[in-house]
Amino acid sequence: MKMKKYIVILFLMLSNFLFGQIDYTELIDNGILDSIKFENLEICNTEYLEFSPMFYDNGIVYVSSKPKAKSRIDKNIDEAFFTLRFAEKDSLGRFVNDDLFSYDLKLKTHFGPCAFSQDENTMFLSRNKKGVRRRDNGEDVNTFGIYIYKFKDGFWVLDSKFPLNSDNYNVFHPTWDEAHSRLIFASDMPGGYGKTDLYSIKYENGKWIGLMNMGPSVNTDQKEAFPFIYNSKYLFYASDVTGGKGGFDIYFSKEVDGKFSTRVNLGDKFNSDNDDFGLVLSPDALEGYFSSNKMGGKGKDDIYRFESDKSVFRIFNSFYTVKVSDKLSEKSISNAKITFSRYKLIAKNSPKIAKLKGVEKEIIYTIDSKSIVESAPLFTDKKGMSKVKLAPGAYIVKVTKEGYLPYSSILNTEINERFLDISLEPSVKDKFEFSFLDSETKMPIENINIEIEGGDALDKIIKQGGKYSLNLLRGDRVKLTASSDDYKKKEILIEYGSTPSKFDILMEKVKKYVEYLPTNKGEVMVLKDILYKYNSDKLNQKAKRELNKLVAHLKSHKDLKIELSSYTDSRGRKAYNQLLSERRSKSVKKYLIGKGIDTSRIKAIGYGESKLKNHCSDGVKCSDAEHAVNRRTEVKVL
C-alpha cells in the first residue's frame, strides 16, 4: 500500500512539472497574506454597485451604478445604468478625488468593465449594443459587446467595434495582453463549455485572428468571467463553479507553452460566501484591487484594496524590475522593447588550464550561438518600467526603441541586483533653423557672436546667408549665448520636444540713456514725472512742468526731431494697453504742439506692455510703485 501511495505522489509531482501546474502553496505566501489588511475603498464605495477596478494613470477606473441627477433605471436589475468612474491618487499615493471617468461617453447604456492598452490611448469597453434586446429565460435583456475607443485630442472617440459582437449573444469583460497583442474576454457564444466561457483572440496587421476557447482547465459548465491577464501569462478570473467558497470566486491559472494550467482557488482571504471577482494587480504585484458583495461592506458590490512590501503571490517575488530612460535628458522611455535570451558559454580555445611561468593561462569563453533562446518581448510602461520573472541563469538583455541605439548587456541572476537601470543613447538628430533679428525693425543682424554650452562635441552651428542651423541628438539640449555690438546679450535654450524646428531670435538694442535733455541721434531719455495714473492718459501739473523744459530745449535746438514713446504696465489686456500707450504718446505730442513745436518734429508711438523695465509681467505680484515704473514716456533723438 505504501508503494502505491508513493507512486501516486510521484505521478502528481511529475504531472505538475510536465504541464506547468501550480498549487495553492506555491501561489500564495500565507505569511504575507495573514499580515495584510483588505481595505474597503471608501472614496469609491456607496450603497450601490461598485466593481471591476482597472489601473489607469495615477488611479483606478471602475464601474458604478451610482445614479446621477437624471439617471435612467434598468428595470431588469433595478439599478441606474452603469457608468465608468475614476478614483485619483495624489503624489503620496493617497486617493483624493472621485469623479466620472469621461464625460464623452454619453450613450444611455451600461458601460463597463473596461481595459486599456499599455500606453493608455486605447480602451476596450464593454457596453450594451444600443437598441438591441433579446429574450433570455423569458426576459428582455440588452446584448453586451466590446467597443474600441481611442484617446484623441483630449477625448475618448469610438474607433471600431469588436468583430465578434453579436445580437444573439454577449461579448464582454475584456483584458488586454500587450506582449502577445491579444484580447481575452468572456462570452456566452455557442460552442462553449458552460454558461459563459473565457476566450482569446489576437490582433495582427489590422485584423483579429485566431479565436480560441481557453479550454477546460479554465472554463467549466458554469460561468467564467471578469478575466485579468498579468505579465502576459498569469490569468486571474472569476467562476461560480461548484466547489468554491460561494457565488463567484477568484481563480488563478498560469500559461505554459500556450496552454493554461488547472485553476487554483485563491482561498478564504480573497473569497467569501458571496460574490468575489474582478481582481487586478499593479505591475510590481505589491498592490491589488478586487470586487465583492461580502458581509460588512458599504454597498451591494464594493471595491477592496490590498498592499504589502512583498507580494502575497509567492510566484511573483522573483521578479526583476527594468527601468529604461533617455541617456541625455534622463526622461523615462515608454514602450521600449525588452527581451531576455538564455545562453550557454563554451571555451573559445582549449578548455585546459596551462601554466606559463607559474601563472595560469586565462581561458576565454564565448557564447554558444546555438544555445540562445529569446523570450517573448516585454514593453515599458509610461514610467519607463517593466517587470519580468527570470529563472536562475545567465541572459542577454536587449532593449530597442525607435530613435535610439540598441542596447545589450549580460545579466546573471546569481550576481546582478534585481533592479536594472538602463539608459538608451539617442540615434536620431533633429535640425533647428533660426535667425537673429532686430526686435524693432525685424531686420537680420550681422556679426552675431554665438557661444554654445552643452550638447554633443560634434554639434556645430552652420551659417548660410542670414540664417543659422544646428543639428542636435534627439533628447539633447543646448544653451546659446548671442551677443553683438549695440545689442543686449541674450540666452536661448534649444531642446527637443519644446523648441520649434524654425524660429526667430529677437535681439533688443542697448538704449543710450542720458540724464540731460538729449541732443545726439540715438540718445534716449525717460522724462521724469511723466508717470501716469493707472488706466489714464491725462497729464498732471507736475508732468506739464517737466514738458515745459522739453519745449524750451526743442526751441533752442530747432533741428532736433524726436520720437515720443509711451509704455504701460502689464495689468489689463494687451490690446487695451497698446491703445492706452498710443493715447499717452498723443497726449504729450498734443501738449508740445500747443506750446509751439511743429508737428513734423514729433513722432508719437505707443508700445503698450511690450517693453517692461522691471520684473512686473503678467501673473507677477507687484506693488503699485513697481508697476508705476513701467508707465512712462521716453524721448529719443531721431
Side-chain angles (χ1 to χ4, degrees), residues 557-614:
H557 296 80
K558 297 186 182 297
D559 294 332
L560 281 185
K561 292 184 179 182
I562 62 170
E563 177 185 287
L564 297 168
S565 51
S566 291
Y567 306 82
T568 70
D569 60 38
S570 63
R571 294 178 292 183
R573 292 181 294 108
K574 287 185 179 180
Y576 178 80
N577 285 340
Q578 178 61 38
L579 294 174
L580 177 60
S581 67
E582 292 171 5
R583 294 205 315 269
R584 286 175 175 173
S585 285
K586 289 177 182 178
S587 69
V588 175
K589 180 177 180 178
K590 182 178 180 182
Y591 183 82
L592 295 178
I593 292 171
K595 293 294 183 177
I597 306 302
D598 191 273
T599 184
S600 64
R601 299 176 64 190
I602 308 167
K603 181 180 180 181
I605 296 178
Y607 287 101
E609 60 179 90
S610 63
K611 298 185 178 182
L612 302 176
K613 293 194 71 176
N614 58 20

Side-chain angles (χ1 to χ4, degrees), residues 166-405:
S166 171
D167 295 345
N168 300 316
Y169 54 81
N170 294 298
V171 177
F172 46 17
H173 301 178
T175 181
W176 176 248
D177 175 6
E178 189 88 27
H180 296 117
S181 296
R182 65 175 170 177
L183 193 72
I184 296 172
F185 61 95
S187 178
D188 57 356
M189 67 175 66
Y193 290 90
K195 297 176 181 178
T196 60
D197 279 12
L198 298 187
Y199 294 83
S200 72
I201 190 170
K202 288 191 173 185
Y203 187 72
E204 293 183 2
N205 301 319
K207 294 182 179 180
W208 294 97
I209 60 172
L211 175 66
M212 291 180 59
N213 185 294
M214 300 190 75
S217 60
V218 170
N219 294 315
T220 70
D221 59 353
Q222 298 300 309
K223 295 178 182 176
E224 280 69 48
F226 301 102
F228 172 71
I229 189 74
Y230 177 76
N231 203 40
S232 299
K233 62 179 179 180
Y234 302 104
L235 180 69
F236 293 90
Y237 65 101
S239 175
D240 63 355
V241 63
T242 304
K245 304 297 177 182
F248 271 117
D249 276 13
I250 303 172
Y251 288 85
F252 169 88
S253 180
K254 173 185 176 183
E255 187 176 24
V256 178
D257 296 330
K259 294 183 179 181
F260 282 86
S261 62
T262 302
R263 59 194 165 275
V264 178
N265 190 294
L266 295 195
D268 295 342
K269 287 277 187 163
F270 288 96
N271 295 316
S272 66
D273 294 339
N274 297 77
D275 289 327
D276 307 279
F277 57 99
L279 183 141
V280 294
L281 280 179
S282 62
D284 59 10
L286 300 180
E287 179 187 18
Y289 299 83
F290 65 96
S291 317
S292 179
N293 64 350
K294 62 185 176 181
M295 299 294 293
K298 193 173 180 180
K300 298 173 182 177
D301 282 338
D302 281 4
I303 294 173
Y304 290 84
R305 176 179 181 269
F306 59 95
E307 185 179 24
S308 61
D309 294 332
K310 193 175 181 182
S311 179
V312 300
F313 299 101
R314 191 188 303 276
I315 61 170
F316 301 146
N317 283 326
S318 58
F319 268 75
Y320 284 76
T321 301
V322 183
K323 180 182 179 182
V324 182
S325 58
D326 186 297
K327 186 175 182 179
L328 297 176
S329 69
E330 298 184 353
K331 293 180 179 178
S332 299
I333 299 176
S334 62
N335 211 35
K337 180 182 176 182
I338 309 169
T339 59
F340 294 83
S341 301
R342 292 290 298 269
Y343 68 89
K344 293 179 181 178
L345 293 176
I346 56 174
K348 188 174 183 180
N349 298 310
S350 171
K352 295 180 181 179
I353 299 177
K355 285 190 176 184
L356 182 63
K357 294 183 180 179
V359 179
E360 289 187 347
K361 182 181 179 182
E362 181 182 5
I363 300 177
I364 300 175
Y365 288 91
T366 186
I367 293 174
D368 181 2
S369 60
K370 296 178 181 179
S371 71
I372 297 175
V373 179
E374 188 172 271
S375 69
L378 303 173
F379 296 89
T380 54
D381 60 19
K382 291 198 300 186
K383 296 179 181 179
M385 308 287 282
S386 186
K387 295 277 185 179
V388 60
K389 182 185 179 185
L390 297 176
Y395 297 84
I396 302 170
V397 184
K398 292 183 179 179
V399 183
T400 56
K401 172 72 176 182
E402 185 178 356
Y404 292 89
L405 297 175

